[in-house]
Amino acid sequence: MSIDIGIIGLAKSGRTTTFNALTRSEVDTGRYTQEGLAPHIGTANVPEPRLKVLADMLHPKRVVPAVATYIDVGASVKGLVKDKGIGGQLLAQLSNVDALINVVRAFSDESIPHVDGSLDIERDIANMDLELVFSDLALLERRLERIEVSLKGAKQPERQGLLREQEILMKIKSELEKEVPIRGLMLTAEEARTIANYQFLTAKPLLVVVNIGEDQLPQAESLEAELDSRYSRPKCRLITLCGKLEMELAQLDDSAAEALRAEYGIKESGVERVIKLSYELLGLISFFTTASAEVKAWSIPSDTEAVKAAGKIHSDMERGFIRAEVISYDDLVKCDSLSEARKKGLLRLEGKNYRVQDGDIITFLFNV
Ligand SMILES: Nc1nc2c(ncn2[C@@H]2O[C@H](COP(=O)(O)OP(=O)(O)O)[C@@H](O)[C@H]2O)c(=O)[nH]1
Ligand SMILES: [Mg+2]
């Protein structure tokens, strides 16, 4: 089960271009995608420099990075609620993702008119935020209506539960009406549990990708800093990315890409930054396994219990979990090999409830 990230944005903002860059795909860009068409789905390796260090030390047959899945839903999210279009397929696709990327156009190109007539980054960001709020409000209202109906025939204790849910939803509704996204609310555990099933769009972490043109590259950093400071909000980040150039870079092999990046004076791969930021927003950490001559990276939410981490690899491992043999990345690197670490007694045995730490190298012991 990988992490799914949905790409939204206005038409012609560069969603498919960004998707291609992230997933090294070669989907046609510049085509008007119609509602109802299948989304583009692709995966990207999660950048993890420690994986290479481990591979150099352990000489595995295979090195397997964690992957993130990106979904370019295609159809414009604008007017989702009005046309009821979002009610169907688009909302279904979006409600299942773990985080959203909103691609906002900053590049200018007269041959590609902006769908709203003019370039305005902040307007586009605000409009999308509003669309997501509208979508959640529509969902909330439908649920509230159903609660009303159920309440008519409900007896205790079902009645009690419905009233409590109604109360929580009303509270969230009043915040949404003030245009406060759910991700910005401090929810109690009970409130969070109640709304978890609805997959509200404004509850998902949001990464705003400002798609700049090649000519804007020299200002990329200052533009990002300026917009980010004005747009800083909980569980939201903003980044500038030259989608078109990153898409070209993604089609090259690593050394050619590096050379071209140097030519443009780009220090770090923009695509890698996007993937890393989405991971940070989701609060994910990495752990590693080294079984079967494979070094593998896995991503899990921080504070995950060992038994759940095992389940990420295989449900049998979760069910038959006995213990985990764990060493931290730093300890292993100091020892230079697992056998040396074992000699020094640095491998710990941990139980089901051990909270996996970022960088742990783990061998799960289980029986089925
Ligand atoms: N000049 C320029 N054109 C771009 C850039 N990013 C995307 N485009 C172009 O904008 C058009 C729409 O891009 P596309 O990714 O298909 O947008 P989508 O409708 O949001 O999926 C295509 O012709 C792209 O080549 C950019 O950074 N600079
Ligand atoms: Mg597209």
PDB file of all heavy atoms in Angstrom, residues 85-117:
ATOM      1  N   GLY A  85     -20.458  17.539 -11.039  1.00  0.00           N
ATOM      2  CA  GLY A  85     -19.479  16.621 -11.623  1.00  0.00           C
ATOM      3  C   GLY A  85     -18.649  15.966 -10.539  1.00  0.00           C
ATOM      4  O   GLY A  85     -18.431  14.767 -10.549  1.00  0.00           O
ATOM      5  N   ILE A  86     -18.244  16.787  -9.592  1.00  0.00           N
ATOM      6  CA  ILE A  86     -17.385  16.289  -8.531  1.00  0.00           C
ATOM      7  C   ILE A  86     -18.104  15.242  -7.691  1.00  0.00           C
ATOM      8  O   ILE A  86     -17.477  14.375  -7.113  1.00  0.00           O
ATOM      9  CB  ILE A  86     -16.912  17.438  -7.619  1.00  0.00           C
ATOM     10  CG1 ILE A  86     -15.892  16.953  -6.589  1.00  0.00           C
ATOM     11  CG2 ILE A  86     -18.068  18.071  -6.879  1.00  0.00           C
ATOM     12  CD1 ILE A  86     -14.544  16.846  -7.083  1.00  0.00           C
ATOM     13  N   GLY A  87     -19.410  15.341  -7.656  1.00  0.00           N
ATOM     14  CA  GLY A  87     -20.169  14.385  -6.864  1.00  0.00           C
ATOM     15  C   GLY A  87     -19.834  12.963  -7.260  1.00  0.00           C
ATOM     16  O   GLY A  87     -19.819  12.065  -6.440  1.00  0.00           O
ATOM     17  N   GLY A  88     -19.536  12.797  -8.527  1.00  0.00           N
ATOM     18  CA  GLY A  88     -19.307  11.454  -9.016  1.00  0.00           C
ATOM     19  C   GLY A  88     -17.860  11.033  -8.987  1.00  0.00           C
ATOM     20  O   GLY A  88     -17.212  11.018  -7.943  1.00  0.00           O
ATOM     21  N   GLN A  89     -17.354  10.734 -10.167  1.00  0.00           N
ATOM     22  CA  GLN A  89     -16.053  10.114 -10.319  1.00  0.00           C
ATOM     23  C   GLN A  89     -14.898  10.922  -9.741  1.00  0.00           C
ATOM     24  O   GLN A  89     -14.032  10.382  -9.055  1.00  0.00           O
ATOM     25  CB  GLN A  89     -15.838   9.945 -11.812  1.00  0.00           C
ATOM     26  CG  GLN A  89     -14.925   8.821 -12.161  1.00  0.00           C
ATOM     27  CD  GLN A  89     -14.744   8.771 -13.665  1.00  0.00           C
ATOM     28  OE1 GLN A  89     -15.504   9.365 -14.427  1.00  0.00           O
ATOM     29  NE2 GLN A  89     -13.722   8.087 -14.089  1.00  0.00           N
ATOM     30  N   LEU A  90     -14.917  12.218 -10.017  1.00  0.00           N
ATOM     31  CA  LEU A  90     -13.783  13.037  -9.597  1.00  0.00           C
ATOM     32  C   LEU A  90     -13.649  13.047  -8.075  1.00  0.00           C
ATOM     33  O   LEU A  90     -12.570  12.872  -7.535  1.00  0.00           O
ATOM     34  CB  LEU A  90     -13.955  14.457 -10.138  1.00  0.00           C
ATOM     35  CG  LEU A  90     -12.808  15.430  -9.897  1.00  0.00           C
ATOM     36  CD1 LEU A  90     -11.494  14.872 -10.396  1.00  0.00           C
ATOM     37  CD2 LEU A  90     -13.100  16.756 -10.584  1.00  0.00           C
ATOM     38  N   LEU A  91     -14.774  13.234  -7.405  1.00  0.00           N
ATOM     39  CA  LEU A  91     -14.729  13.247  -5.946  1.00  0.00           C
ATOM     40  C   LEU A  91     -14.292  11.893  -5.412  1.00  0.00           C
ATOM     41  O   LEU A  91     -13.511  11.804  -4.476  1.00  0.00           O
ATOM     42  CB  LEU A  91     -16.092  13.638  -5.362  1.00  0.00           C
ATOM     43  CG  LEU A  91     -16.129  13.744  -3.829  1.00  0.00           C
ATOM     44  CD1 LEU A  91     -15.147  14.779  -3.321  1.00  0.00           C
ATOM     45  CD2 LEU A  91     -17.534  14.074  -3.337  1.00  0.00           C
ATOM     46  N   ALA A  92     -14.780  10.842  -6.049  1.00  0.00           N
ATOM     47  CA  ALA A  92     -14.391   9.496  -5.618  1.00  0.00           C
ATOM     48  C   ALA A  92     -12.885   9.322  -5.726  1.00  0.00           C
ATOM     49  O   ALA A  92     -12.242   8.790  -4.827  1.00  0.00           O
ATOM     50  CB  ALA A  92     -15.116   8.451  -6.460  1.00  0.00           C
ATOM     51  N   GLN A  93     -12.329   9.801  -6.838  1.00  0.00           N
ATOM     52  CA  GLN A  93     -10.876   9.683  -7.015  1.00  0.00           C
ATOM     53  C   GLN A  93     -10.119  10.504  -5.977  1.00  0.00           C
ATOM     54  O   GLN A  93      -9.124  10.069  -5.429  1.00  0.00           O
ATOM     55  CB  GLN A  93     -10.470  10.162  -8.413  1.00  0.00           C
ATOM     56  CG  GLN A  93     -10.780   9.165  -9.495  1.00  0.00           C
ATOM     57  CD  GLN A  93     -10.884   9.820 -10.875  1.00  0.00           C
ATOM     58  OE1 GLN A  93     -10.672  11.014 -11.026  1.00  0.00           O
ATOM     59  NE2 GLN A  93     -11.211   9.031 -11.863  1.00  0.00           N
ATOM     60  N   LEU A  94     -10.633  11.691  -5.734  1.00  0.00           N
ATOM     61  CA  LEU A  94      -9.904  12.583  -4.830  1.00  0.00           C
ATOM     62  C   LEU A  94     -10.069  12.198  -3.367  1.00  0.00           C
ATOM     63  O   LEU A  94      -9.168  12.395  -2.564  1.00  0.00           O
ATOM     64  CB  LEU A  94     -10.364  14.029  -5.025  1.00  0.00           C
ATOM     65  CG  LEU A  94      -9.885  14.694  -6.310  1.00  0.00           C
ATOM     66  CD1 LEU A  94     -10.447  16.101  -6.409  1.00  0.00           C
ATOM     67  CD2 LEU A  94      -8.366  14.719  -6.376  1.00  0.00           C
ATOM     68  N   SER A  95     -11.238  11.652  -3.032  1.00  0.00           N
ATOM     69  CA  SER A  95     -11.453  11.423  -1.608  1.00  0.00           C
ATOM     70  C   SER A  95     -10.572  10.308  -1.077  1.00  0.00           C
ATOM     71  O   SER A  95     -10.340  10.227   0.112  1.00  0.00           O
ATOM     72  CB  SER A  95     -12.929  11.160  -1.311  1.00  0.00           C
ATOM     73  OG  SER A  95     -13.361  10.073  -2.058  1.00  0.00           O
ATOM     74  N   ASN A  96     -10.045   9.482  -1.955  1.00  0.00           N
ATOM     75  CA  ASN A  96      -9.194   8.390  -1.477  1.00  0.00           C
ATOM     76  C   ASN A  96      -7.723   8.736  -1.334  1.00  0.00           C
ATOM     77  O   ASN A  96      -6.952   7.923  -0.847  1.00  0.00           O
ATOM     78  CB  ASN A  96      -9.327   7.187  -2.410  1.00  0.00           C
ATOM     79  CG  ASN A  96     -10.650   6.488  -2.188  1.00  0.00           C
ATOM     80  OD1 ASN A  96     -11.117   6.401  -1.060  1.00  0.00           O
ATOM     81  ND2 ASN A  96     -11.272   6.041  -3.257  1.00  0.00           N
ATOM     82  N   VAL A  97      -7.317   9.927  -1.779  1.00  0.00           N
ATOM     83  CA  VAL A  97      -5.884  10.231  -1.707  1.00  0.00           C
ATOM     84  C   VAL A  97      -5.492  10.676  -0.301  1.00  0.00           C
ATOM     85  O   VAL A  97      -6.332  11.061   0.515  1.00  0.00           O
ATOM     86  CB  VAL A  97      -5.452  11.307  -2.742  1.00  0.00           C
ATOM     87  CG1 VAL A  97      -5.792  10.853  -4.154  1.00  0.00           C
ATOM     88  CG2 VAL A  97      -6.065  12.660  -2.422  1.00  0.00           C
ATOM     89  N   ASP A  98      -4.174  10.601  -0.030  1.00  0.00           N
ATOM     90  CA  ASP A  98      -3.664  10.983   1.292  1.00  0.00           C
ATOM     91  C   ASP A  98      -3.312  12.463   1.370  1.00  0.00           C
ATOM     92  O   ASP A  98      -3.288  13.048   2.437  1.00  0.00           O
ATOM     93  CB  ASP A  98      -2.417  10.161   1.611  1.00  0.00           C
ATOM     94  CG  ASP A  98      -2.719   8.670   1.606  1.00  0.00           C
ATOM     95  OD1 ASP A  98      -3.499   8.246   2.457  1.00  0.00           O
ATOM     96  OD2 ASP A  98      -2.199   7.933   0.731  1.00  0.00           O
ATOM     97  N   ALA A  99      -2.991  13.039   0.219  1.00  0.00           N
ATOM     98  CA  ALA A  99      -2.623  14.459   0.191  1.00  0.00           C
ATOM     99  C   ALA A  99      -2.931  15.007  -1.195  1.00  0.00           C
ATOM    100  O   ALA A  99      -3.119  14.245  -2.146  1.00  0.00           O
ATOM    101  CB  ALA A  99      -1.139  14.635   0.493  1.00  0.00           C
ATOM    102  N   LEU A 100      -2.999  16.334  -1.286  1.00  0.00           N
ATOM    103  CA  LEU A 100      -3.297  16.971  -2.561  1.00  0.00           C
ATOM    104  C   LEU A 100      -2.148  17.880  -2.987  1.00  0.00           C
ATOM    105  O   LEU A 100      -1.497  18.509  -2.148  1.00  0.00           O
ATOM    106  CB  LEU A 100      -4.575  17.813  -2.449  1.00  0.00           C
ATOM    107  CG  LEU A 100      -5.877  17.056  -2.207  1.00  0.00           C
ATOM    108  CD1 LEU A 100      -6.990  18.036  -1.825  1.00  0.00           C
ATOM    109  CD2 LEU A 100      -6.270  16.261  -3.454  1.00  0.00           C
ATOM    110  N   ILE A 101      -1.937  17.930  -4.295  1.00  0.00           N
ATOM    111  CA  ILE A 101      -1.035  18.930  -4.865  1.00  0.00           C
ATOM    112  C   ILE A 101      -1.890  19.831  -5.739  1.00  0.00           C
ATOM    113  O   ILE A 101      -2.619  19.353  -6.607  1.00  0.00           O
ATOM    114  CB  ILE A 101       0.069  18.260  -5.721  1.00  0.00           C
ATOM    115  CG1 ILE A 101       1.112  17.606  -4.810  1.00  0.00           C
ATOM    116  CG2 ILE A 101       0.719  19.275  -6.651  1.00  0.00           C
ATOM    117  CD1 ILE A 101       2.260  16.960  -5.571  1.00  0.00           C
ATOM    118  N   ASN A 102      -1.834  21.133  -5.458  1.00  0.00           N
ATOM    119  CA  ASN A 102      -2.539  22.081  -6.308  1.00  0.00           C
ATOM    120  C   ASN A 102      -1.522  22.770  -7.201  1.00  0.00           C
ATOM    121  O   ASN A 102      -0.663  23.506  -6.724  1.00  0.00           O
ATOM    122  CB  ASN A 102      -3.268  23.114  -5.431  1.00  0.00           C
ATOM    123  CG  ASN A 102      -3.956  24.185  -6.261  1.00  0.00           C
ATOM    124  OD1 ASN A 102      -4.221  23.984  -7.463  1.00  0.00           O
ATOM    125  ND2 ASN A 102      -4.244  25.330  -5.652  1.00  0.00           N
ATOM    126  N   VAL A 103      -1.596  22.490  -8.504  1.00  0.00           N
ATOM    127  CA  VAL A 103      -0.673  23.128  -9.452  1.00  0.00           C
ATOM    128  C   VAL A 103      -1.247  24.483  -9.857  1.00  0.00           C
ATOM    129  O   VAL A 103      -2.375  24.570 -10.340  1.00  0.00           O
ATOM    130  CB  VAL A 103      -0.446  22.244 -10.699  1.00  0.00           C
ATOM    131  CG1 VAL A 103       0.473  22.949 -11.692  1.00  0.00           C
ATOM    132  CG2 VAL A 103       0.128  20.891 -10.292  1.00  0.00           C
ATOM    133  N   VAL A 104      -0.475  25.522  -9.610  1.00  0.00           N
ATOM    134  CA  VAL A 104      -0.922  26.879  -9.904  1.00  0.00           C
ATOM    135  C   VAL A 104      -0.009  27.475 -10.962  1.00  0.00           C
ATOM    136  O   VAL A 104       1.214  27.402 -10.849  1.00  0.00           O
ATOM    137  CB  VAL A 104      -0.889  27.746  -8.619  1.00  0.00           C
ATOM    138  CG1 VAL A 104      -1.281  29.180  -8.933  1.00  0.00           C
ATOM    139  CG2 VAL A 104      -1.826  27.160  -7.571  1.00  0.00           C
ATOM    140  N   ARG A 105      -0.618  28.058 -11.946  1.00  0.00           N
ATOM    141  CA  ARG A 105       0.181  28.552 -13.063  1.00  0.00           C
ATOM    142  C   ARG A 105       0.860  29.881 -12.748  1.00  0.00           C
ATOM    143  O   ARG A 105       0.217  30.822 -12.277  1.00  0.00           O
ATOM    144  CB  ARG A 105      -0.741  28.729 -14.278  1.00  0.00           C
ATOM    145  CG  ARG A 105      -0.047  29.367 -15.451  1.00  0.00           C
ATOM    146  CD  ARG A 105      -0.906  29.294 -16.686  1.00  0.00           C
ATOM    147  NE  ARG A 105      -0.328  30.118 -17.736  1.00  0.00           N
ATOM    148  CZ  ARG A 105      -0.774  30.142 -18.974  1.00  0.00           C
ATOM    149  NH1 ARG A 105      -1.810  29.389 -19.316  1.00  0.00           N
ATOM    150  NH2 ARG A 105      -0.214  30.914 -19.875  1.00  0.00           N
ATOM    151  N   ALA A 106       2.154  29.929 -13.028  1.00  0.00           N
ATOM    152  CA  ALA A 106       2.885  31.191 -12.916  1.00  0.00           C
ATOM    153  C   ALA A 106       3.596  31.512 -14.222  1.00  0.00           C
ATOM    154  O   ALA A 106       4.020  32.639 -14.441  1.00  0.00           O
ATOM    155  CB  ALA A 106       3.897  31.124 -11.785  1.00  0.00           C
ATOM    156  N   PHE A 107       3.728  30.517 -15.100  1.00  0.00           N
ATOM    157  CA  PHE A 107       4.448  30.763 -16.361  1.00  0.00           C
ATOM    158  C   PHE A 107       3.571  31.569 -17.302  1.00  0.00           C
ATOM    159  O   PHE A 107       2.337  31.452 -17.269  1.00  0.00           O
ATOM    160  CB  PHE A 107       4.854  29.432 -17.017  1.00  0.00           C
ATOM    161  CG  PHE A 107       3.719  28.628 -17.585  1.00  0.00           C
ATOM    162  CD1 PHE A 107       3.267  28.843 -18.893  1.00  0.00           C
ATOM    163  CD2 PHE A 107       3.086  27.645 -16.828  1.00  0.00           C
ATOM    164  CE1 PHE A 107       2.213  28.102 -19.428  1.00  0.00           C
ATOM    165  CE2 PHE A 107       2.036  26.897 -17.352  1.00  0.00           C
ATOM    166  CZ  PHE A 107       1.598  27.128 -18.651  1.00  0.00           C
ATOM    167  N   SER A 108       4.199  32.423 -18.105  1.00  0.00           N
ATOM    168  CA  SER A 108       3.385  33.127 -19.090  1.00  0.00           C
ATOM    169  C   SER A 108       3.725  32.617 -20.482  1.00  0.00           C
ATOM    170  O   SER A 108       4.888  32.342 -20.793  1.00  0.00           O
ATOM    171  CB  SER A 108       3.590  34.641 -18.999  1.00  0.00           C
ATOM    172  OG  SER A 108       4.935  34.931 -18.771  1.00  0.00           O
ATOM    173  N   ASP A 109       2.713  32.453 -21.272  1.00  0.00           N
ATOM    174  CA  ASP A 109       2.873  31.956 -22.629  1.00  0.00           C
ATOM    175  C   ASP A 109       1.620  32.384 -23.376  1.00  0.00           C
ATOM    176  O   ASP A 109       0.522  31.904 -23.093  1.00  0.00           O
ATOM    177  CB  ASP A 109       3.014  30.425 -22.600  1.00  0.00           C
ATOM    178  CG  ASP A 109       3.322  29.850 -23.976  1.00  0.00           C
ATOM    179  OD1 ASP A 109       2.914  30.484 -24.994  1.00  0.00           O
ATOM    180  OD2 ASP A 109       3.935  28.780 -24.040  1.00  0.00           O
ATOM    181  N   GLU A 110       1.821  33.330 -24.310  1.00  0.00           N
ATOM    182  CA  GLU A 110       0.635  33.895 -24.958  1.00  0.00           C
ATOM    183  C   GLU A 110      -0.131  32.879 -25.793  1.00  0.00           C
ATOM    184  O   GLU A 110      -1.320  33.028 -26.036  1.00  0.00           O
ATOM    185  CB  GLU A 110       1.026  35.108 -25.808  1.00  0.00           C
ATOM    186  CG  GLU A 110       0.985  36.376 -24.964  1.00  0.00           C
ATOM    187  CD  GLU A 110       1.779  37.510 -25.572  1.00  0.00           C
ATOM    188  OE1 GLU A 110       1.937  37.536 -26.815  1.00  0.00           O
ATOM    189  OE2 GLU A 110       2.233  38.368 -24.787  1.00  0.00           O
ATOM    190  N   SER A 111       0.571  31.836 -26.215  1.00  0.00           N
ATOM    191  CA  SER A 111      -0.117  30.845 -27.042  1.00  0.00           C
ATOM    192  C   SER A 111      -1.002  29.926 -26.193  1.00  0.00           C
ATOM    193  O   SER A 111      -1.776  29.134 -26.722  1.00  0.00           O
ATOM    194  CB  SER A 111       0.899  30.026 -27.839  1.00  0.00           C
ATOM    195  OG  SER A 111       1.653  29.220 -26.968  1.00  0.00           O
ATOM    196  N   ILE A 112      -0.832  30.014 -24.872  1.00  0.00           N
ATOM    197  CA  ILE A 112      -1.661  29.196 -23.983  1.00  0.00           C
ATOM    198  C   ILE A 112      -2.412  30.135 -23.034  1.00  0.00           C
ATOM    199  O   ILE A 112      -1.927  30.474 -21.956  1.00  0.00           O
ATOM    200  CB  ILE A 112      -0.796  28.219 -23.153  1.00  0.00           C
ATOM    201  CG1 ILE A 112       0.139  27.408 -24.069  1.00  0.00           C
ATOM    202  CG2 ILE A 112      -1.661  27.291 -22.310  1.00  0.00           C
ATOM    203  CD1 ILE A 112       1.258  26.692 -23.329  1.00  0.00           C
ATOM    204  N   PRO A 113      -3.596  30.599 -23.443  1.00  0.00           N
ATOM    205  CA  PRO A 113      -4.293  31.567 -22.596  1.00  0.00           C
ATOM    206  C   PRO A 113      -4.670  30.960 -21.239  1.00  0.00           C
ATOM    207  O   PRO A 113      -5.006  29.778 -21.159  1.00  0.00           O
ATOM    208  CB  PRO A 113      -5.560  31.914 -23.385  1.00  0.00           C
ATOM    209  CG  PRO A 113      -5.520  31.125 -24.634  1.00  0.00           C
ATOM    210  CD  PRO A 113      -4.345  30.215 -24.632  1.00  0.00           C
ATOM    211  N   HIS A 114      -4.564  31.772 -20.201  1.00  0.00           N
ATOM    212  CA  HIS A 114      -4.978  31.336 -18.869  1.00  0.00           C
ATOM    213  C   HIS A 114      -6.498  31.166 -18.875  1.00  0.00           C
ATOM    214  O   HIS A 114      -7.208  31.995 -19.426  1.00  0.00           O
ATOM    215  CB  HIS A 114      -4.552  32.392 -17.841  1.00  0.00           C
ATOM    216  CG  HIS A 114      -4.771  31.967 -16.422  1.00  0.00           C
ATOM    217  ND1 HIS A 114      -6.035  31.838 -15.890  1.00  0.00           N
ATOM    218  CD2 HIS A 114      -3.908  31.625 -15.431  1.00  0.00           C
ATOM    219  CE1 HIS A 114      -5.928  31.434 -14.626  1.00  0.00           C
ATOM    220  NE2 HIS A 114      -4.639  31.300 -14.323  1.00  0.00           N
ATOM    221  N   VAL A 115      -6.991  30.118 -18.252  1.00  0.00           N
ATOM    222  CA  VAL A 115      -8.439  29.855 -18.309  1.00  0.00           C
ATOM    223  C   VAL A 115      -9.264  30.947 -17.657  1.00  0.00           C
ATOM    224  O   VAL A 115     -10.444  31.109 -17.965  1.00  0.00           O
ATOM    225  CB  VAL A 115      -8.830  28.490 -17.686  1.00  0.00           C
ATOM    226  CG1 VAL A 115      -8.434  27.347 -18.592  1.00  0.00           C
ATOM    227  CG2 VAL A 115      -8.245  28.311 -16.300  1.00  0.00           C
ATOM    228  N   ASP A 116      -8.671  31.714 -16.742  1.00  0.00           N
ATOM    229  CA  ASP A 116      -9.417  32.804 -16.143  1.00  0.00           C
ATOM    230  C   ASP A 116      -9.012  34.158 -16.714  1.00  0.00           C
ATOM    231  O   ASP A 116      -9.251  35.202 -16.115  1.00  0.00           O
ATOM    232  CB  ASP A 116      -9.262  32.800 -14.614  1.00  0.00           C
ATOM    233  CG  ASP A 116     -10.211  31.793 -13.963  1.00  0.00           C
ATOM    234  OD1 ASP A 116     -11.204  31.420 -14.632  1.00  0.00           O
ATOM    235  OD2 ASP A 116      -9.952  31.369 -12.831  1.00  0.00           O
ATOM    236  N   GLY A 117      -8.378  34.122 -17.868  1.00  0.00           N
ATOM    237  CA  GLY A 117      -8.115  35.361 -18.599  1.00  0.00           C
ATOM    238  C   GLY A 117      -6.831  36.077 -18.242  1.00  0.00           C
ATOM    239  O   GLY A 117      -6.307  36.846 -19.033  1.00  0.00           O
TER     240      GLY A 117
END
